[in-house]
């Protein structure tokens, strides 16, 4: 069913709103996927905090204009769906990458993050980015490491003394 002008404006406005808040965007060709498979993909996207939309390319180009995903405009060719990561930068890449492993008809075409356009081969690198919780735990581990080492260094002379006394005790008991 063809969209009238008001419907087109609403679609452009909706996609532009999500594009303005998103961390990264993936455009993938969905030609050949069944309705059931697309429904499964949409369900997984909702659960993982990814905005997923099948939108006409001309409307998508208008929607991303003026956002950091404006670089994607040249790659929007063919039947594409656009996935925007709303919570962490790698969410959309993980979603598309995992789904593409089991469904060979879903082909990633364009990857964009931070105003830069990347080839679809960079999807794996983007998907490997840590989530917010993982990044915080890595930062805490890095911050905690020097303190742990300092405490171990302070405790080592006492531990060495205890081991030496225990060795002398064992030696005297054996004699």
């Amino acid at each position: 069913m063809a969209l009238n002008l008001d419907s087109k404006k609403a679609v452009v406005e909706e996609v532009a709103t999500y594009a303005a808040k998103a961390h990264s965007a993936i455009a993938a060709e969905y030609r050949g996927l069944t309705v059931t498979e697309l429904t499964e993909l949409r369900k997984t996207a909702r659960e993982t905090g990814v905005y997923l939309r099948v939108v006409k390319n001309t409307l998508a180009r208008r929607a991303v204009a003026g956002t950091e995903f404006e670089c994607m405009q040249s790659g929007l060719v063919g039947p594409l769906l656009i996935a925007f990561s709303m919570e962490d930068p790698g969410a959309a890449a993980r979603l598309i990458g995992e789904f593409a492993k089991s469904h060979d008809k879903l082909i990633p075409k364009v990857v964009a993050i931070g105003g830069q356009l990347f080839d679809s081969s960079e999807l794996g690198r983007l998907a490997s980015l840590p989530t917010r919780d993982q990044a915080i735990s890595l930062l805490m581990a890095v911050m905690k490491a020097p303190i742990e080492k300092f405490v171990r260094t302070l405790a080592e002379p006492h531990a060495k003394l205890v081991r030496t006394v225990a060795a002398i005790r064992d030696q005297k008991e054996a004699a």
Side-chain angles (χ1 to χ4, degrees):
M1 184 169 125
L3 298 173
N4 61 18
L5 185 60
D6 292 333
S7 300
K8 289 178 183 179
K9 286 181 181 178
V11 168
V12 169
E13 185 179 325
E14 178 187 350
V15 174
T17 302
Y18 283 100
K21 296 185 280 184
H23 297 288
S24 66
I26 312 292
E29 185 176 314
Y30 65 95
R31 183 182 292 142
L33 289 178
T34 64
V35 174
T36 309
E37 292 169 337
L38 277 175
T39 304
E40 177 186 339
L41 179 62
R42 286 187 175 111
K43 180 179 179 244
T44 310
R46 275 191 303 275
E47 293 169 354
T48 57
V50 175
Y51 173 76
L52 189 70
R53 182 75 192 245
V54 175
V55 61
K56 291 185 175 197
N57 294 331
T58 53
L59 300 179
R61 284 188 197 101
R62 288 179 190 252
V64 298
T67 67
E68 67 178 27
F69 303 112
E70 194 166 11
C71 59
M72 293 177 66
Q73 289 182 335
S74 62
L76 298 176
V77 178
L80 299 177
L81 58 84
I82 298 180
F84 290 106
S85 294
M86 303 310 293
E87 294 175 8
D88 65 279
R94 281 190 291 278
L95 172 73
I96 298 295
E98 288 298 316
F99 198 80
K101 284 180 186 175
S102 58
H103 301 86
D104 60 342
K105 304 252 185 202
L106 185 68
I107 304 165
K109 293 290 186 181
V110 178
V111 177
I113 184 169
Q116 292 184 330
L117 183 68
F118 296 101
D119 191 38
S120 61
S121 62
E122 298 295 320
L123 186 73
R125 278 188 36 199
L126 182 58
S128 67
L129 287 176
T131 63
R132 184 177 189 276
D133 292 337
Q134 290 170 338
I136 289 172
S137 68
L138 289 171
L139 178 65
M140 290 296 125
V142 168
M143 291 173 67
K144 191 174 82 169
I147 297 168
E148 283 181 345
K149 189 170 184 177
F150 179 66
V151 169
R152 276 196 307 269
T153 303
L154 287 178
E156 186 57 31
H158 305 298
K160 188 173 184 180
L161 176 66
V162 169
R163 286 193 301 269
T164 304
V165 171
I168 291 171
R169 182 196 67 210
D170 293 341
Q171 187 180 27
K172 286 187 178 185
E173 286 177 356

